[in-house]
Amino acid sequence: MGFSVAALRVRLASPILLGVLVAFAVVSVSTLQLLRAQPAGVDFAGLWAGGKAAITDVGRLYDFRYVSELQNWPMGHGRLRPYAYPPSALLLFIPFALAPWNLSYLVWTVLTGGFFAWAGIRAGAPKWFLLIPWVAFAAFCGQATFLLGGLVMAGLALAGQPILAGVLFGVAAAVKPQLLMLLPLALVAEARWRTLVTTGVAGLALCALSAAVWGLGPWIEWLSALPRFEHLVSHSSGLVANSITPYAALTFWRMEGAWALLLAPAAGLWVWLTFRRGGDFADKLTALFGGAFLISPYAMNYELALFAPATAIYLARTKDPRWPGYVAAAIGQAWVIHPAFISLAMTLSLPLQKRLPALPLFGPEPEASLIPNG
């Protein structure tokens, strides 16, 4: 009768994908239910307050209580909401501190969200990657996720413009350096020397500019504040449960989180091989961010939005015999599970699945991706 499971899977792929996207859209809209627990943009309030402190009293920039007071205690009096970014990030946050934080939150989300969407599409992700629920969650929180994701994706996509790519990477590193701790290794693997040098120059220039404006005091205070910030996170069961790193997962399970640092060689090797072998955009993005999270103490669940373009690229490969596994991983990533590291693990399984042989049940070897650069 000419029936085959592989042929049936290909025929059903489009309606299944449509159903998954509809479910993602419903989950994204349901993010508004969080308004019962916290105001929208509560994380942006911390960025806004950092810029405000730089204007009013930069000497108290890393005074957790003072910064929380500037925000008018959005999570309730006594619940600290510190500013934890380096002084170099203030150069981007101060303009938004000139207006009320709720208005600035809307402007911030529209601008950085639009940039994130453009960069993802420019890099080859389907437009519907914005339906992946973590994107809506990141928008609700108002963190710097869209800005950082857009900068890194644009830098990866603009490999033919090494200077511009380096400037984009340098700005991202000046805002959140731990997110790009493995970027130098990736650039060396690809022999992108001009981009590597430009990244360093751009990042150092922003740091030097912040020191020229506010002096070295805030930098010293930032370094001393990092242990206090980690202590604040590690002693909050809710924050630990919502952190996506192996370190946090071990802490959640009442084990020694430092054991996660043993993953550092594997994370570095993963990034090196992915970039050295000329991996596609989805694999590069997953390795760069995923490798950093594997060896970071804490990173919150809204950072999963960084993987949305890569996840969508995998979901678009409907002719790949491994596609059912990609769908399962994408659904697992979107499902809120504690500890949140499980969602990260689901995401990181995508490039691993591509390396595994396809099950006989699902048919022949993968066909070409439906997505450019995929």
Side-chain angles (χ1 to χ4, degrees):
M1 296 180 62
F3 171 82
S4 72
V5 174
L8 180 62
R9 174 184 54 76
V10 172
R11 176 171 291 186
L12 293 177
S14 293
I16 291 175
L17 178 59
L18 178 60
V20 170
L21 295 181
V22 169
F24 281 174
V26 171
V27 175
S28 295
V29 172
S30 69
T31 301
L32 293 174
Q33 294 181 1
L34 293 173
L35 288 170
R36 300 173 182 173
Q38 66 183 57
V42 69
D43 286 350
F44 173 77
L47 310 183
W48 175 90
K52 198 73 172 177
I55 297 172
T56 58
D57 189 353
V58 73
R60 303 183 69 183
L61 178 62
Y62 297 104
D63 180 336
F64 292 179
R65 188 173 185 85
Y66 175 69
V67 172
S68 300
E69 288 174 348
L70 288 177
Q71 302 167 60
N72 197 27
W73 300 99
M75 296 298 290
H77 188 79
R79 297 184 64 179
L80 297 174
R81 304 291 299 176
Y83 173 82
Y85 287 80
S88 50
L90 294 172
L91 299 169
L92 295 176
F93 297 151
I94 280 181
F96 294 92
L98 300 177
W101 80 264
N102 48 3
L103 174 61
S104 292
Y105 159 63
L106 294 176
V107 176
W108 169 266
T109 302
V110 170
L111 292 180
T112 60
F115 178 48
F116 182 71
W118 171 84
I121 296 170
R122 173 69 173 76
K127 296 178 181 179
W128 46 258
F129 85 83
L130 297 172
L131 293 177
I132 292 177
W134 291 113
V135 176
F137 184 69
F140 180 83
C141 293
Q143 264 287 350
T145 304
F146 289 159
L147 173 64
L148 295 166
L151 289 168
V152 173
M153 288 192 294
L156 291 176
L158 298 174
Q161 302 180 52
I163 303 301
L164 177 57
V167 170
L168 295 171
F169 287 144
V171 173
V175 175
K176 199 164 189 174
Q178 67 270 31
L179 191 64
L180 295 178
M181 66 177 77
L182 296 176
L183 177 66
L185 186 62
L187 295 178
V188 170
E190 289 191 317
R192 293 176 63 177
W193 307 113
R194 293 174 67 188
T195 299
L196 179 63
V197 172
T198 306
T199 298
V201 171
L204 289 175
L206 289 175
C207 294
L209 179 57
S210 69
V213 174
W214 295 291
L216 293 177
W219 281 97
I220 297 173
E221 292 167 6
W222 174 61
L223 293 175
S224 65
L226 290 178
R228 290 189 286 120
F229 179 73
E230 183 176 344
H231 181 270
L232 182 66
V233 174
S234 63
H235 285 74
S236 170
S237 58
L239 293 178
V240 171
N242 287 316
S243 180
I244 62 177
T245 67
Y247 188 105
L250 291 172
T251 303
F252 178 85
W253 286 314
R254 303 191 183 283
M255 301 171 65
E256 177 53 59
W259 284 106
L261 297 178
L262 295 176
L263 294 171
L269 181 62
W270 178 24
V271 170
W272 175 267
L273 292 178
T274 299
F275 283 79
R276 188 68 174 178
R277 294 173 178 175
D280 59 39
F281 168 78
D283 289 350
K284 288 180 179 179
L285 189 69
T286 304
L288 193 60
F289 288 143
F293 291 145
L294 285 178
I295 53 181
S296 296
Y298 296 100
M300 293 299 113
N301 49 6
Y302 50 73
E303 304 284 20
L304 290 167
L306 295 169
F307 298 102
T311 301
I313 288 175
Y314 272 96
L315 279 176
R317 295 172 175 168
T318 55
K319 295 184 179 180
D320 190 323
R322 300 169 183 83
W323 184 72
Y326 301 157
V327 173
I331 293 174
Q333 178 209 79
W335 194 263
V336 180
I337 303 173
H338 289 164
F341 167 71
I342 296 174
S343 292
L344 177 66
M346 291 288 185
T347 305
L348 302 190
S349 75
L350 290 168
L352 176 61
Q353 289 186 52
K354 193 175 73 170
R355 301 286 180 183
L356 298 176
L359 295 174
L361 179 65
F362 293 133
E365 286 301 303
E367 298 183 33
S369 170
L370 299 180
I371 300 299
N373 300 324

